[in-house]
Amino acid sequence: MSLSDPIGDMLTRIRNAGRAKHESCVIPGSKIKRSILELLKEEGFINGYEPVTNGSFEDFKVALKYDVTKKPVIRELVRVSKPGRRVYMKSEEIRPYKNNMGTMILSTSKGVMTGKKARKLRVGGEVICKLS
C-alpha cells in the first residue's frame, strides 16, 4: 500500500489510538518519524517508543501517555504542512503556540526540532505539526 503522506498517517495513528484509550500503537518506521517521536518523548507527550522488526522493515511501538483522569496527554495534534501545500516559517515568524502550552515541530536545515529551539537557534523551516 502506497501512502502519499506517511507523517500524516503517523500522527493520525497516534491521535486515534489516544482517543480509543489504547496503551500503544504501531507505526511504520523511517528516520524522520524517529526524530518526531524522539521530540514527542522529550516534550512529555508520549511515554516512549521502541523499534520492532517487521520482516526486513523497522516499525515503532509507541507507548501513549495519559493523565490521572485517563485522558490522553495529546489533546490536539494537527498536521500543518501537507504534500499538497507545504508551509514554511522564518525564524522571526515562529511564535509560542498556545501560550507556550503547546509545541510546534519543524523540519529545519539543522534537523527536526521544536519551534522554541528553532527560534533560539535562529533557523526557519517546514512546519510539520502543532500539538498541545
Side-chain angles (χ1 to χ4, degrees), residues 60-95:
F60 297 116
K61 184 175 181 181
V62 180
L64 301 175
K65 191 173 187 178
Y66 297 93
D67 61 8
V68 293
T69 61
K70 303 290 186 208
K71 290 185 180 176
V73 171
I74 299 175
R75 305 250 189 252
E76 178 187 36
L77 183 56
V78 180
R79 175 82 159 124
V80 177
S81 187
K82 300 173 183 173
R85 183 175 181 267
R86 300 293 184 187
V87 177
Y88 298 94
M89 280 191 171
K90 296 178 183 175
S91 63
E92 302 85 35
E93 297 172 348
I94 300 171
R95 298 283 176 241

Side-chain angles (χ1 to χ4, degrees), residues 5-106:
D5 188 12
I7 295 172
D9 176 63
M10 176 187 82
L11 299 176
T12 300
R13 286 180 190 224
I14 292 172
R15 189 181 323 115
N16 290 345
R19 288 181 181 164
K21 309 273 193 258
H22 292 300
E23 288 183 21
S24 63
C25 65
V26 177
I27 297 168
S30 72
K31 290 179 183 178
I32 191 163
K33 289 179 187 177
R34 180 187 295 269
S35 0
I36 292 170
L37 288 173
E38 190 61 40
L39 279 176
L40 292 177
K41 182 180 172 185
E42 288 173 8
E43 295 293 316
F45 288 106
I46 60 173
N47 282 331
Y49 68 95
E50 60 183 31
V52 177
T53 55
N54 181 7
S56 61
F57 299 104
E58 183 180 58
D59 293 344
F60 297 116
K61 184 175 181 181
V62 180
L64 301 175
K65 191 173 187 178
Y66 297 93
D67 61 8
V68 293
T69 61
K70 303 290 186 208
K71 290 185 180 176
V73 171
I74 299 175
R75 305 250 189 252
E76 178 187 36
L77 183 56
V78 180
R79 175 82 159 124
V80 177
S81 187
K82 300 173 183 173
R85 183 175 181 267
R86 300 293 184 187
V87 177
Y88 298 94
M89 280 191 171
K90 296 178 183 175
S91 63
E92 302 85 35
E93 297 172 348
I94 300 171
R95 298 283 176 241
Y97 182 62
K98 296 232 177 181
N99 289 331
N100 278 334
M101 296 303 288
T103 302
M104 189 181 315
I105 297 179
L106 284 86

